[in-house]
Amino acid sequence: MAFVEFEKVSKIYHTGAVEIPALRDATFQVEKGEICVIVGASGAGKTTLLNILAALDKPTGGSVILDGMDLAKIK
């Protein structure tokens, strides 16, 4: 099992009736001790991904496992 697992993670923000997709089916794994770099254009979802990984925000869909713990189960 990987230290970090993102499985089909999506995040949609709502502004009135408008839906703004910040992440679409992001899937990756990072092994313990592995170095990972997150790069992308402005608006690509880098900050959203890190906020979800830090449990500061919840994904709209998918699952995030950090060191064997499903972040959706954290209150």
Side-chain angles (χ1 to χ4, degrees):
M1 177 178 275
F3 186 70
V4 175
E5 296 180 57
F6 265 54
E7 184 66 34
K8 296 185 178 182
V9 175
S10 298
K11 179 64 180 179
I12 298 173
Y13 292 102
H14 298 276
T15 303
V18 178
E19 291 186 347
I20 302 168
L23 285 178
R24 291 188 192 128
D25 294 328
T27 300
F28 66 90
Q29 295 181 346
V30 180
E31 300 296 331
K32 195 167 192 170
E34 186 175 21
I35 295 174
C36 176
V37 178
I38 300 169
V39 296
S42 177
K46 300 177 299 291
T47 300
T48 299
L49 185 146
L50 291 172
N51 285 341
I52 291 171
L53 180 59
L56 298 173
D57 204 355
K58 293 186 178 186
T60 305
S63 65
V64 180
I65 310 296
L66 179 61
D67 198 16
M69 182 183 304
D70 186 346
L71 293 186
K73 296 180 180 175
I74 295 175
K75 293 184 180 185

